[in-house]
Amino acid sequence: MNFRTFVGCLVAGVLAAGGAMAQQAQPIVIKFSHVVAPNTPKGKAAEMFKKLAEERTGGKVKVEVYPNSQLYKDKEEMEALQLGAVQMLAPSLAKFGPLGVKEFEVFDLPYIFPSKDVLRSVTEGPVGQDLLKKLEKKGIRGLAYWDNGFKILSANKPIKAPEDLKGLKLRIQSSKVLDAQMRALGALPQSMAFSEVYQALQTGVVDGTENPPSNMFTQKMHEVQKHATLTNHGYLGYAVIVNKKFWDGLPADIRAVLEGAMNESTRFANAIAQTENDDSLAAMKASGKTDFYAPSDAEVLAWRKALLPVHKEMEGRVGKETIEAVYKEAAKLGFKN
Ligand code: LMR
């Protein structure tokens, strides 16, 4: 080898080593897109996952959290996940219908969960896990369920009884069960992306909506809704999902660490959700912009009577078996449907 060749080899070797090092130093990036504010149960749990994932992989994984529909709105984020443009989402369980996994809409059935324990035994038990498995054929892996809370109804007129919603245009998420629920109340449901709700309420495109207090408060909906009723008629929670190809392609040791970080973030999300909602409700009450009405026991019965027929009506959509599987979990904990 002459001197020039030797120097050439040396340079090539150094460059190759540098390249390999640079490659090694490149972190695995997880883009985590969501539609709510950072100071919500989901927003805080996403940040917790970022922190744990980055710390525990020693920086080998970088999690970029994009809140408030910064990257994508509801429908687009599902498509982006499937295409691999983002790697992780936590859409509400009411948003899996358009993907073709209609069984998830069981979570939207009004008054289906008589308690948080029943909900937990569904999400952590075989019913919830079987639902997550249904996502695999869509190129999606379901990792966890995160709570938000129970929904309240809001509008610019007092809502004491189901009749008060007759003829009102109410924004819903993209769920056929929610559509049927609003129709059962005589209202006109309008499916709309979450990022558009504040403006639609402000301009009167819709008259009212439903959401847990934390979403209502952090999107400032209380500034454009004069009345709300604490019906707690339905649940809103999330499935944390990843692009399956991306997840399965991760080095096994990294994936195991991320699974641990996800389990811990899930415990965190579910531990803070109730307090976050309580605090949001208290803050909205203190602002004096919205009147909050707590229905009496007799009034709750009237809401139940108006809404429970939706279970039967939606059997064809959600699947009788899935609905009955939830009833069974409730029965195991001593509740009768
Ligand atoms: C909504 O669209 O109302 C909610 O699903 C938003 C969310 O992610 O909590």
Side-chain angles (χ1 to χ4, degrees):
M1 191 187 291
N2 66 25
F3 183 68
R4 279 182 64 173
T5 322
F6 171 72
V7 171
C9 285
L10 201 65
V11 170
V14 167
L15 283 178
M21 267 167 64
Q23 236 177 16
Q24 252 182 12
Q26 279 300 326
I28 298 166
V29 176
I30 298 181
K31 289 194 168 128
F32 187 159
S33 166
H34 70 82
V35 299
V36 295
N39 54 336
T40 53
K42 176 162 62 179
K44 289 186 177 180
E47 286 300 331
M48 174 62 82
F49 175 71
K50 171 185 168 67
K51 181 174 170 290
L52 296 176
E54 291 180 353
E55 270 172 20
R56 292 180 184 177
T57 59
K60 284 194 191 133
V61 170
K62 189 165 180 286
V63 181
E64 296 173 359
V65 180
Y66 297 93
N68 263 327
S69 310
Q70 245 171 48
L71 272 192
Y72 299 105
K73 297 190 206 173
D74 303 299
K75 192 167 161 286
E76 290 88 325
E77 70 173 17
M78 283 288 199
E79 288 160 8
L81 185 82
Q82 286 180 295
L83 291 171
V86 292
Q87 289 70 38
M88 188 174 279
L89 306 174
S92 116
L93 302 167
K95 292 176 183 166
F96 288 81
L99 204 66
V101 198
K102 298 171 271 188
E103 295 90 337
F104 273 90
E105 292 180 6
V106 73
F107 288 98
D108 299 330
L109 286 168
Y111 297 113
I112 188 140
F113 298 110
S115 77
K116 270 262 170 78
D117 289 343
V118 175
L119 167 73
R120 195 66 68 230
S121 68
V122 169
T123 54
E124 301 307 316
V127 184
Q129 300 314 306
D130 286 351
L131 283 175
L132 292 182
K133 280 194 204 111
K134 289 188 195 295
L135 298 171
E136 305 258 326
K137 56 181 185 294
K138 307 286 171 190
I140 292 173
R141 165 132 323 148
L143 297 182
Y145 288 96
W146 286 358
D147 270 352
N148 188 333
F150 288 91
K151 294 174 287 184
I152 64 179
L153 284 160
S154 67
N156 277 320
K157 59 175 273 202
I159 321 158
K160 292 207 164 164
E163 302 81 83
D164 296 328
L165 292 175
K166 247 187 204 123
L168 292 196
K169 280 177 278 163
L170 300 182
R171 180 270 170 172
I172 55 162
Q173 306 171 79
S174 58
S175 154
K176 292 286 182 249
V177 166
L178 297 180
D179 188 278
Q181 169 199 273
M182 293 311 191
R183 288 186 196 284
L185 298 170
L188 307 168
Q190 311 245 332
S191 168
M192 183 182 291
F194 185 63
S195 56
E196 289 162 12
V197 182
Y198 176 88
Q199 212 187 358
L201 291 169
Q202 190 187 36
T203 55
V205 167
V206 290
D207 303 305
T209 189
E210 58 166 10
N211 238 306
S214 69
N215 275 351
M216 184 175 175
F217 177 58
T218 53
Q219 296 298 320
K220 300 190 168 63
M221 293 181 204
H222 63 297
E223 293 182 358
V224 288
Q225 294 280 266
K226 290 199 177 64
H227 296 274
T229 301
L230 307 174
T231 43
N232 296 319
H233 59 281
Y235 173 71
L236 192 147
Y238 309 106
V240 186
I241 55 176
V242 283
N243 178 295
K244 183 174 175 322
K245 209 165 143 207
F246 166 78
W247 197 253
D248 293 347
L250 288 172
D253 57 333
I254 297 268
R255 195 169 50 239
V257 173
L258 293 179
E259 277 163 3
M262 181 52 64
N263 289 342
E264 205 167 317
S265 308
T266 299
R267 281 196 293 278
F268 172 75
N270 296 346
I272 64 166
Q274 186 65 53
T275 325
E276 291 289 322
N277 276 298
D278 293 346
D279 291 352
S280 292
L281 183 58
M284 288 190 287
K285 282 182 178 169
S287 82
K289 293 190 193 303
T290 310
D291 270 343
F292 288 89
Y293 182 72
S296 67
D297 289 350
E299 284 166 337
V300 170
L301 276 183
W303 286 103
R304 290 176 64 88
K305 192 159 172 257
L307 290 173
L308 284 175
V310 175
H311 292 207
K312 185 109 201 100
E313 191 191 328
M314 285 290 108
E315 269 178 12
R317 168 84 183 166
V318 173
K320 199 172 175 197
E321 269 175 33
T322 310
I323 299 178
E324 281 178 354
V326 175
Y327 290 167
K328 259 195 207 132
E329 292 302 320
K332 277 191 215 158
L333 293 173
F335 293 96
K336 249 178 64 187
N337 261 291

